[in-house]
Amino acid sequence: MSGTAAGDELTVVHLMRHGEVHNPEGILYGRLPDYHLSELGRRMADRVAEHLAQRDITHVVASPLDRAQETATPIAKVHGIDLATDGRLIEAGNVFEGKTFGVGDGALKNPDNWKHLVNPFKPSWGEPYIEQVVRMMGALDAAKDAARGHEAVCVSHQLPIWIVRSFVEKRRLWHDPRKRQCTLASLTTFTYRGDKIVSVGYTEPARDLVPAHLLAGAKPVKGKAKAFGA
């Protein structure tokens, strides 16, 4: 940037959650392969690509999972950028992966699984929150360095995005999953001055496409799953 000292330059990193996934069985798909965007999810990805088309994006990177790669592809295409992959952006590990999850009709019906629920602060059922913070901060910093003085887009998953945002905003990491502000195809935006994050923003370019029961804070609807992976 002309007239700006290297340590004062602004870099913007958009941390995007992928679009809706085709998952008619309601599986907690986690890190499993072959879970792809639904038709609606592809529309969400295209919407965000259009939303970002005039931004100064020079780097696009995604989690290795199919749904993240498919969400990032139209954004990279609009900007004529080769899509990169960063394993640190992957979904959080979860012992209930591959199962349905609910009281009375899923994995929680089996008493053998109850031992995984003893510590919600860690959490005991999956990848520790602090480990998610470490890898996500590493991915954000790498994207910042790749796009220094410009903008980057990183496509990831709901829980890791919410956890790293909570860390940056100095909130506790354990939380009520129903209250995460990280809806499908949303953008959590980190602005860096030099190497320091100076602000965090949040937008939902595809909000009108998101089913109401999947919005943050929505009340459960009988017969509709809230979320089966992110």
Side-chain angles (χ1 to χ4, degrees), residues 103-126:
V103 178
D105 63 349
L108 293 185
K109 187 176 181 180
N110 185 348
D112 289 341
N113 289 325
W114 296 352
K115 63 180 179 291
H116 298 302
L117 305 174
V118 297
N119 185 358
F121 305 106
K122 186 178 179 180
S124 53
W125 54 83

Side-chain angles (χ1 to χ4, degrees), residues 49-63:
E50 180 182 355
H51 174 78
L52 295 173
Q54 302 305 313
R55 302 298 294 254
D56 182 25
I57 292 169
T58 61
H59 182 65
V60 182
V61 60
S63 154

Side-chain angles (χ1 to χ4, degrees), residues 12-15 55 187-191 197 199-203:
V12 175
V13 179
H14 305 280
L15 190 50
R55 302 298 294 254
L187 298 171
T188 300
T189 300
F190 300 82
T191 300
I197 296 173
S199 68
V200 180
Y202 177 78
T203 54

Side-chain angles (χ1 to χ4, degrees), residues 16-19 44-45 48 71 183-187 203-206 210:
M16 180 183 176
R17 185 183 172 193
H18 62 79
M44 291 176 180
V48 178
T71 298
T183 197
L184 291 165
S186 61
L187 298 171
T203 54
E204 297 178 351
V210 179

Side-chain angles (χ1 to χ4, degrees), residues 2-111:
S2 178
T4 301
D8 291 333
E9 64 189 353
L10 295 179
T11 305
V12 175
V13 179
H14 305 280
L15 190 50
M16 180 183 176
R17 185 183 172 193
H18 62 79
E20 185 189 61
V21 175
H22 180 68
N23 182 23
E25 297 83 14
I27 298 297
L28 182 69
Y29 39 76
R31 296 177 174 179
L32 295 174
D34 297 325
Y35 277 88
H36 300 274
L37 293 183
S38 65
E39 181 179 349
L40 179 59
R42 291 192 291 272
R43 288 172 58 199
M44 291 176 180
D46 289 341
R47 170 71 64 80
V48 178
E50 180 182 355
H51 174 78
L52 295 173
Q54 302 305 313
R55 302 298 294 254
D56 182 25
I57 292 169
T58 61
H59 182 65
V60 182
V61 60
S63 154
L65 295 175
D66 295 313
R67 57 193 186 272
Q69 295 278 314
E70 292 165 3
T71 298
T73 295
I75 300 171
K77 183 177 180 180
V78 162
H79 292 277
I81 297 170
D82 290 334
L83 175 61
T85 299
D86 190 332
R88 292 172 293 190
L89 294 169
I90 200 166
E91 172 63 295
N94 193 308
V95 298
F96 296 110
E97 183 179 282
K99 303 174 183 178
T100 57
F101 189 80
V103 178
D105 63 349
L108 293 185
K109 187 176 181 180
N110 185 348

